[in-house]
Structure formats: C-alpha cells, structure tokens
Amino acid sequence: MLRRLRYTRAALLLFGLGLALGFIVVVGELGRFGRVASVLMVLGLLALMPAFAADLRALALRAWAAMRRPRGRKAARPRGKARAKGKPSPARRRVPARPPRGRRA
C-alpha cells in the first residue's frame, strides 16, 4: 500500500533522515549538526498530515474513476449442465408407483 502513497512516503523519508542524523549527532557527539537533525524531523512531521491528505484524496479519486468506468458485457453462460462426452450416463432407476390407498368406511 505504501507504493501508492508517494507524498506520505516522502514525508516519512524526510523524518527518518532527520532521525538518523540525530542518532549520529548523539552517538558521535557532533553538536553543530543537532539543529539540522531537529529541523529535518520537524519538517517531516509537519509535512506528514498534508501529504497523507493529498494521498488519500488521490486514492479516493482513483477509486471513484474506477467505479465510473464502463464495464463490458458478461459472457453468456451455457444453459444446463455440461456432461463429459464419451461415457453415456447410467440408466436412472425408476421408483415404483405407490399402490392406491383403499377408502375408509
């Protein structure tokens, strides 16, 4: 599903880049890049909601267009059961008729 959410994916990538840079800053004790990492994380978080709304709108429009698309006619189904050729069907056993009931007096 994340394949179709291109704006959301970009926002999450931006946030993840800031997070990774922040981890490098903390582990490597590089204080001067701390502000850059914070700005990247904030931009990623702020871009996440508008990006998700834009992707959701695009998905809804695509679904609406798919519903409006005319569909072709369905193929006609054959009537009755199809039998395998070559072997005749076995003779049906007939149920004997019931004897007539006698009248009650």
Side-chain angles (χ1 to χ4, degrees):
M1 183 171 161
L2 204 55
R3 266 185 270 179
R4 296 182 183 177
L5 303 177
R6 69 179 194 190
Y7 298 118
T8 303
R9 184 177 35 190
L12 286 173
L13 187 64
L14 187 64
F15 174 73
L17 188 64
L19 195 64
L21 187 59
F23 183 71
I24 291 171
V25 165
V26 169
V27 170
E29 296 178 2
L30 305 169
R32 58 181 175 238
F33 293 113
R35 180 118 12 206
V36 175
S38 296
V39 167
L40 281 176
M41 283 189 277
V42 167
L43 285 177
L45 285 176
L46 289 177
L48 194 57
M49 287 311 286
F52 189 68
D55 287 335
L56 190 63
R57 182 176 183 268
L59 285 175
L61 286 175
R62 197 174 299 143
W64 180 77
M67 284 183 2
R68 302 275 300 167
R69 188 177 315 135
R71 300 196 192 304
R73 286 179 34 145
K74 292 184 179 179
R77 297 178 68 185
R79 295 179 185 223
K81 292 183 179 180
R83 275 197 260 170
K85 293 185 179 181
K87 190 173 185 182
S89 62
R92 289 181 61 181
R93 254 184 77 197
R94 293 193 63 151
V95 178
R98 288 184 183 163
R101 288 186 170 190
R103 288 185 127 197
R104 287 190 164 172

